Amino acid sequence: MKAAIYVEGITEAAFVYQLIGERYAWNWQAFRIECLNLDPADAKNDLRDYGDDNAQDYYLIYDSCSDNAVSSDILSHFEKHRNNGFCKVVGLRDVYSERFVDLYGRTFDGGNINCFISDMQQAIALYDNTGFIHLQFAVMETEAWLLAISDVFNRIDNRVDAQWLMDKAKIDTANDPETTYFHPFSRLEAVYTSISRTYSKHWDEIKEIIFKLTQSDFDMLYNSGKCQSFRDFSNAVFL
């Protein structure tokens, strides 16, 4: 199985890298993963190519470096991937974006979200309707998936538990972050503020949280009934 995964930024690249590695328990012989076009470049020191060149399962992660570039990069490269024996191309971008706000304002409405996603997926289908391309969306942002794995915050600061998150960051861990927060990144900022830290998407901050995620975390999120967009993305990659 060969899959190319196009992501909008370094947070998503790191998340996908960790998701794939944990799925294979980092078994060198079981898979191969390569990353291209990472920004910042120093992320390449951590998101290094990994696995056996002869492994049956191969994943290419491509950092498009912006949300709008995910679709255009896929359309530029998908025929090359098909000709090189890839079985699928998957895109991952956030719903929350300048384009979404321009179209719908800051109204948190499921109908608007569905229209935004559907319109972009239909635009891709004009170029390829064979099921080779899977354009997926994090609702509203990939940070919602991190908020749903709330135990990870305790690994950063052992004071943080469900009550702490409620009292200090106004996060109810019983809620689905995907349907609760219009801008999940701001809630992640609030968590870090509560422990006298900052989170501004610098590489050192991104890798600190994402590299603490385990297969158990991903399994929990997949089966939790929260963040359906994560489940859809995971299925697009692995099924």
Side-chain angles (χ1 to χ4, degrees), residues 33-77:
I33 187 169
E34 296 181 5
C35 300
L36 292 178
N37 204 45
L38 297 176
D39 182 29
D42 62 355
K44 187 67 174 176
N45 296 327
D46 298 295
L47 302 181
R48 61 178 62 89
D49 297 346
Y50 184 96
D52 191 332
D53 287 332
N54 298 315
Q56 182 176 352
D57 291 347
Y58 170 81
Y59 301 90
L60 172 66
I61 299 174
Y62 188 94
D63 181 2
S64 291
C65 301
S66 77
D67 47 19
N68 289 327
V70 171
S71 292
S72 58
D73 283 345
I74 287 174
L75 293 176
S76 295
H77 299 151

Side-chain angles (χ1 to χ4, degrees), residues 120-165:
M120 298 193 71
Q121 289 175 333
Q122 288 177 25
I124 289 286
L126 294 175
Y127 296 87
D128 182 86
N129 62 359
T130 66
F132 183 70
I133 300 173
H134 306 260
L135 182 60
Q136 300 295 316
F137 291 78
V139 182
M140 292 287 288
E141 298 174 289
T142 306
E143 284 80 6
W145 300 352
L146 297 176
L147 293 174
I149 310 173
S150 57
D151 287 351
V152 73
F153 301 120
N154 183 261
R155 300 168 208 162
I156 296 170
D157 187 312
N158 61 16
R159 295 175 296 169
V160 180
D161 58 14
Q163 192 61 52
W164 177 284
L165 291 171

